[in-house]
Amino acid sequence: MALNLKNRSILAVADLTTEEVKYLLNLAKKLKEEKITKHKHNNKNIAIIMQKTSTRTRSAFEVASMNLGIGTTYISGSDSQMGVKESMEDTAKVMGRFYDGIAFRGFKHEDVETLANHAGIPVWNALTDKWHPTQMFADYLTVLENFKTTKVKFVFFGDCKNNMGNSLAVMAAHMGAHFVGCAPKSYWPAEDVIATANQIAKKTGAKIEFTEDPMIGSKDADVIYTDIWVSMGEPIDVWKKRIHDLQPYRVDKKIMNNAKKSAIFMHCLPSYHDLNTDVAKQINKQFKIKEFEVTDEVFRSKQSKVFQEAENRMHTIKAIIDATI
Ligand code: CP
Ligand code: NVA
């Protein structure tokens, strides 16, 4: 069924109905299958504002826009007046007069809400500390491609209280999945996030659970998912505690073998699965650990679908822009 999402901002999957989430997912599937996208939004322009760094999300917005005939302006956190010399509200009012949409990656979720409240054009949350909605569509397109259904046992390991853990719990609720967050209790999402997920789950038949036991969590899972232990914007000195707390939740062969034979491994990326990054080298020097949230073996295994998932960022962001602009 065609839904009208024109002029809608996408700030969190928690703000969307299950019907709207499914509509966007189906549109993404269709756009990916069609491969060539017509320049159907010629003469439109969007701004991509990123206060944190990005490879996939920025590229997805730029390539998807190009395919749709839309012009883009990239603005990094350090090269505009926003937040420093000009409020979010005033920035939104200015940008709304230049552009037809804004993708925004920032820190406080309230900032993207302020932009959306004052810009008068659709605002797409390209990641905040609390939510990462555009990633959700890529993740479940990948699930759909691998299992032909979204009603899977989906287990998230590690920092469940961050943007990815929060978003995946709510998205699983929309998708009718069985979600298990696997982490020490202090890393489980805030109560409001769990309540939202459970409220949606009541209508869709999804199950939302949390456990501290990696073997109970991963038992017969279809999807094993993890994210980095220290997210963008968090101080480097939290690494010590995170390593201590989350090391038992590293995704390794033992966890994959405890899941179903057909299980896949997913990760939003970037990942510290080896020592080929500056951060991993620095943490290795300081704390002597060689592997972080996932072992290199699992990351590079046949079960790993991380690059299929990364490609899907583009197709799903294209659907989001197409539906809302
Ligand atoms: N997964 C994701 O959002 O990647 P980037 O930080 O590279 O955009
Ligand atoms: N939790 C991670 C996600 C990166 C896509 C971060 O916020 O850095």
Side-chain angles (χ1 to χ4, degrees):
M1 190 188 42
L3 287 177
N4 188 357
L5 289 172
K6 293 290 165 210
N7 279 321
R8 277 281 292 278
S9 289
I10 307 290
L11 306 187
V13 286
D15 302 337
L16 299 170
T17 65
T18 297
E19 207 185 10
E20 288 165 346
V21 171
K22 286 185 178 167
Y23 171 75
L24 288 170
L25 197 56
N26 283 333
L27 180 61
K29 194 166 163 276
K30 188 172 145 261
L31 291 179
K32 184 174 178 180
E33 280 161 8
E34 276 174 8
K35 287 195 177 76
I36 302 160
T37 312
K38 290 169 204 75
H39 281 208
K40 57 190 278 204
H41 297 288
N42 277 333
N43 302 323
K44 294 219 157 82
N45 292 286
I46 69 163
I48 302 166
I49 308 173
M50 302 247 169
Q51 294 181 324
K52 292 172 177 168
T53 50
S54 167
T55 297
R56 276 147 293 271
T57 314
R58 175 185 175 176
S59 304
F61 270 104
E62 294 207 10
V63 174
S65 298
M66 225 177 308
N67 286 174
L68 292 168
I70 298 169
T72 58
T73 306
Y74 177 74
I75 302 166
S76 81
S78 55
D79 54 29
S80 86
Q81 318 282 22
M82 188 180 59
V84 184
K85 288 196 279 180
E86 194 162 31
S87 68
M88 295 307 283
E89 179 180 340
D90 292 355
T91 305
K93 287 174 178 168
V94 172
M95 301 303 253
R97 285 167 183 261
F98 282 78
Y99 294 100
D100 302 287
I102 302 171
F104 175 75
R105 170 168 285 197
F107 295 84
K108 293 191 301 263
H109 190 67
E110 295 73 37
D111 284 344
V112 77
E113 289 178 332
T114 304
L115 274 182
N117 286 339
H118 297 283
I121 53 173
V123 172
W124 308 293
N125 176 6
L127 180 148
T128 58
D129 292 343
K130 187 166 184 183
W131 303 112
H132 194 7
T134 62
Q135 178 77 45
M136 295 306 104
F137 294 95
D139 292 352
Y140 272 85
L141 180 57
T142 309
V143 168
L144 207 50
E145 288 172 341
N146 280 280
F147 297 102
K148 313 278 174 245
T149 174
T150 61
K151 295 184 193 305
V152 293
K153 181 173 178 187
F154 193 113
V155 187
F156 181 87
F157 277 82
D159 187 8
C160 284
K161 62 175 170 33
N162 213 294
N163 43 26
M164 284 304 303
N166 291 345
S167 302
L168 286 169
V170 176
M171 187 65 173
H174 280 305
M175 296 285 97
H178 175 193
F179 177 86
V180 184
C182 200
K185 208 167 184 173
S186 56
Y187 289 82
W188 296 0
E191 268 174 34
D192 68 302
V193 173
I194 298 179
T196 302
N198 279 326
Q199 214 176 338
I200 297 166
K202 257 193 231 155
K203 292 188 218 147
T204 62
K207 197 151 96 181
I208 310 298
E209 293 181 324
F210 294 89
T211 177
E212 292 194 305
D213 186 328
M215 284 300 122
I216 291 176
S218 56
K219 186 81 196 137
D220 293 330
D222 296 296
V223 180
I224 300 286
Y225 199 118
T226 190
D227 182 17
I228 48 173
W229 290 340
V230 177
S231 283
M232 290 185 281
E234 294 192 297
I236 194 93
D237 55 16
V238 303
W239 268 104
K240 189 175 176 199
K241 185 165 165 43
R242 293 288 162 83
I243 291 170
H244 173 267
D245 295 347
L246 298 179
Q247 205 150 219
Y249 299 89
R250 169 183 298 133
V251 175
D252 58 12
K253 260 283 171 236
K254 194 171 153 216
I255 284 177
M256 291 309 294
N257 288 342
N258 194 43
K260 279 192 194 140
K261 238 190 150 126
S262 55
I264 63 170
F265 169 73
M266 293 177 67
H267 191 308
C268 54
L269 306 182
S271 163
Y272 301 127
H273 59 93
D274 58 20
L275 296 180
N276 294 332
T277 60
D278 293 346
V279 173
K281 280 193 186 92
Q282 191 188 336
I283 301 305
N284 166 261
K285 219 163 139 193
Q286 222 176 326
F287 302 105
K288 307 289 168 240
I289 69 161
K290 287 204 179 85
E291 292 183 302
F292 300 80
E293 75 277 6
V294 56
T295 62
D296 198 43
E297 185 186 20
V298 169
F299 187 90
R300 293 178 193 274
S301 69
K302 277 216 171 80
Q303 285 170 291
S304 174
K305 302 295 172 193
V306 297
F307 297 112
Q308 179 184 356
E309 182 184 359
E311 181 194 327
N312 283 340
R313 298 299 311 285
M314 200 280 284
H315 305 293
T316 47
I317 280 178
K318 193 190 288 180
I320 288 170
I321 299 173
D322 183 40
T324 57
I325 202 164

